Amino acid sequence: MKVMKFGGTSVGSVNSILSVKQIVEAVEEPVIVVVSALGGITDKLINTSQMAAKGDAAYEKEYREIVNRHIEMVYTVIPAGDARTVLLDKVNELLSELKDIFQGIYLIKDLSSKTSATIVSYGERLSSIIVASLIKGAVWYDSRNFIKTEKKHAKHILDSELTTRLVKETFRELPEVALVPGFISTDKNSGEVTNLGRGGSDYTASVIAAALNADSLEIWTDVDGFMTADPRVISTAYTINELSYVEAMELCNFGAKVVYPPTIYPVCHKNIPILIKNTFNPQGEGTIIKQEVNSGSKAIKGISSINDTSLITVTGLGMVGVIGVNFRIFKALAQNGISVFMVSQASSENSTSIGVRNQDAALACEVLNEEFSKEIEMGEISPVVAEMNLATIAIVGENMKHTPGIAGKLFGTLGRNGISVIACAQGASETNISFVVESKSLRKSLNVIHDSFFLSEYQVLNLFICGTGTVGGSLIEQIRCQQQRLMQERGLKLKVVA
Ligand code: ADP
Ligand code: ASP
Ligand code: MG
């Protein structure tokens, strides 16, 4: 059996949802289908509840739009008849519950995180019953009964042991097509509705695939596969045929939104391959993520980035040679639920820099200043401050281990383009080099690195020629005109054959 997950855009329009129907109905083995909310609905549910909490009566208009989107979808994709009537009853019941909740928030002008989690759950509850009614023979399952979380460090974390047991019990007998809402879960003690975090439907699918030892996990989305960079930022990004679990994990952790980061581990642990496919181009090969992959000829596999980065540096001559400073930094941050995605320590041991999300920066400074208050008072450590508006970029690939000069090429490219690197880190596994730049340099950094590692000289030249329509003159003139700039910017040796 296999597990297939369809994201928001895949179930977001009439054409795409009909394509989902075709793709699933063509499968000849038992399949568990996990779906996200209709594209954009989770954001809309959050915005609407925030408007209601602020006492903004315009929330009602937003709510109507949510209603219309679902009702129109039902009328367009489900033929008139008993099935449609039954489905409309269920959809209307959920929408009317939602209306009551919004009204309650509007009246008391308060929105707790518990209520917020309940509200967003309606996205997947609605989409999943629509898709279940659309796909022939599909049986709907409520993931709130078997995806269980527990509260740790102020966050709802999956209880994987309990979830695995419940998934196995629920799917002891498999129908041809099981339909499951992604993202949503319940607290194992209180039963309150929780979720696995934004983008969490991928994780739902992965956890189910791992619990049932599925043959594969398929993530169906709106791009042709895992690409060398975010195609919305880098127009020349292209699909990667194969990625190892480690490479995929590194790229996802550093912002490649195509797969939600926690998704990789459960299936990697069971050696279940992940296939990334495009709902809008089902014939495309997609990307396979597995243990052993063809390493290919390129030094790196992909680039990813996190835009909202803050760098927090704990520094002071009083840190040199003192045992336990890093332990205290990470303990203080962990106790406050702050996740650190990059660490860099100077060899003199007098400073440790950590990368956190902007939203966590203020709290991180507060807890570190408290943790080191004595040392700060004595002047051994400087008061901890955050440098905001930064971005973290990672280049990833297992080939780095065997290829000397990658760091030189990377930093040479950045240097030639006038981009300064604020901090950098490379793990001993040598599958990732990550570094921090100013946010305003992010796009340029990604472009020059992508050109430098992924495009041949001929392609770079071609791009410049295509982009110089206003320069005028003959092709040869245009080539000469760009030659100098290219030599400077890319540090390339050009052979112009005309
Ligand atoms: P879904 O709704 O199907 O879960 P997401 O929006 O979460 O889809 O993820 C798909 C998007 O991820 C793509 O549209 C693309 O813009 C973005 N993305 C970012 N980095 C990459 C990458 N390296 N490869 C492919 N897509 C990427
Ligand atoms: N609907 C949720 C979100 O938008 C979960 C998901 O799409 O995976 O974050
Ligand atoms: Mg997603």
Side-chain angles (χ1 to χ4, degrees), residues 5 7-8 35-38 40-43 120 123-124 182-183 197-202 260:
K5 177 259 171 178
V35 292
S36 294
L38 306 193
I41 287 294
T42 309
D43 286 338
V120 289
E124 270 70 8
F183 179 58
R198 293 305 305 271
S201 298
D202 296 342
Y260 182 50

